[in-house]
Amino acid sequence: MMKRPFATIGITYLVSQAVAVYFGLDISLMLAAISGIALIIYLFIMDGRRSGIIAVLISVIFSMGIYCAYYSVNVRPSEIFDGQTCEITGTITDCGGVSYGRYQYVIETESIAIEGAPQNVRMRLSSSYPIEADMCDNITTVVCFNQRTSLERSTEMRLLSRGITATAYIPKDTEIFVSSGEKNINRYFYSVRRAMGSGLKKLLPQDQYAMATAMMFGDKSELSEDVAEQFRACGLSHLFAVSGVHLSIIVSALAVLLSKLRIKGAPRNLIMIFGVLFMMGVAGFSFSVMRAGIMMIIALTASLIKRDADPINSLGAAVLLICVVNPAAAVDIGLQLSFSATLGILVLYPKIYGKLSKMIKTENEFLRRAEYYLAQSLSATLAATLTVIPVSSLYFGEVSLVAVPATVLCLAAASVFLVLCILTSLLALVQFLVPIATLVSYPVWLLGGFLLTVTRILSAVPGAVVNVGNNFYFVFVVLSAVFVLAWLAVRRGRPKESISFALCLALIVQMFVCGAVSQRVMSVNDSYIKVYNAGDGVAVAAVRGDSCIVVGTGGDEYLSYKMSEDIGDADVVFFPDTSSIYASNGDGFIGACRPDKVFIGECESASDDKSFVICNRAKELGCEIYSSHNAYYSVCGGRLSVEMFESEDGFVWTYVICDDLELLICPQDGDVLTLPQEWRAPDCAVINGDDIVNVTRLDSVVMIVSDEYAECADMAGQLRMRGCGNVLATAIDGDMKLTSDMNGVRVECADD
């Protein structure tokens, strides 16, 4: 008989479902078959069968099978939409705010004008301008579906976790028809969020208001890049994922209020259950808040029937319920962080606190209470941090080394800040209580300022964040498992002379820190060139260590913001000219990446010239502005450089050098023979336009066509017919990462 059946089944289900979503259909089917064979062997061949192992194997088989069925029924049929343009009719189920410079909406479709395609699809729709519509409204419009290869794997998994199986955008100047739809409970909760948020917006400065909405509702759309980066560097991003901490604070405040009103017993528990459900709805039923809410409801229900609820068992039951209802929920980063932190607190907190509390010897009552509080905060922080590090390093590629002091300093302030924000927003809803809300907003402003100041100072500490790559992470996990197995083997053989687990843990921590620092040192000289799928345009980033040079920000606004998220800050941005080919969203990209220098060329067409907007934005941010006419720029002792060349026929060519990798960016027109001889043999050539003369005279290892889908396919075919080898197309192959190795040029496409 298993001691904690729901914990065993739920945690196994969560892990195996995450593996299934990450590796896809084929691997899931293989793992399900292997688990089935293992179960049969264990049941009919092995002796001494244990119920726990049987439950684990059945959970793996069930989770893999459910995901495979879900993918086959809901995801695979949606592949027919890729690259299609058609009319859709549907209902808005979520107004997701602004992301990557575009307005995001989730649509439940009723009809899609593609013959043989599924009609009822949950899709993400983006627009460069806000749609005059609200939750539950019906819309009819023409959309362009995105290619799946243009999505990063992490983005695709995040969308799947929300049940979204297709993405599309509304082309510019497209007519949108909106009509009122049936209102439901989601519309009610959305109205509550909006009303509470509008009250706070009037009373708080922008940064405090953005923090408040992020903590209360998980809505991070108002957060500036700087503030989001500060909290991420301090390991405090979990404060913006509404979860157990938030619900615990709110429920504790509600419990105090009910005790003051002398409401006890069953009525108290029922009111608190409804309060938990209400907060889950206000937070948008995110997976992290659902996990916490289900655990609290289980605990409150157990209290109603005079039973004790085992927290670890409740945690397993919560994640099991969520993952069964949504077969892709396991890869949601909010759920994984919330689950990891909760498991760490439940398992490690008692042991850490037990050790720390024994060190308290003070006789003074005030100091004793302060030390106990510090021991509790430090124990909870260490327990949560140790279990969250593997998840955060895997998803974000970085680990905060200031997370513990940041959490100790900020958690109490953030808790009070959250409670006062909720109180302020509720008071602001009633007209005659607005003066009281204004008074309450003053301590909110002070606490918000304190949080911003602490995170800004700690995030600026040298070495506050250590980058870790997937290779390092894999090696770290394998070696950690070897250490633990070695410890178990020694302990089993010599129970009285076993190696302390604390020593084993210390070795693992030391290995992690040393490995992360070593990788950081080795990554200083890491170099690559990335050619983005910009549609009708060019966007190239050359990266060497911490230095980055960008040439062109063509494509739509989404791509520009995606690039900024991918490469972080850029040292320099080059615009060979300021037409839409190179600069369609240059001002937005400059605002996101904040380069030190901007090189701007001339544009022949006044109607297509974006120099005025780009220059104004660059001046606002204090960027140095230069002409790109025959310009040359280099860093890293010349190992990373860009040179512009204007040929006799007036066309601008760009040559990029990144260590041993050389890349030529061609204009839309021009003659290759007008180039200097040394420019005609690059490792890679990027071509945007089919009017280049003598293109076959380029002695290039790889040719990349950067244009819209149909043009890409035609141009790539023409180049192959002319005898060019290794021709790739961004619209077909996606983003491309170019690196140099002993065998020449290595190309990694987005869909690899």
Side-chain angles (χ1 to χ4, degrees), residues 103 106 190 262 267 326 332 381 448 532 696:
Y103 296 86
V106 177
Y190 174 74
R262 300 183 183 278
N326 185 338
D332 179 74
T381 301
Y532 289 89
T696 56

Side-chain angles (χ1 to χ4, degrees), residues 691-702:
D691 294 326
I692 299 176
V693 181
N694 292 314
V695 68
T696 56
R697 300 295 292 273
L698 284 174
D699 185 15
S700 177
V701 178
V702 179

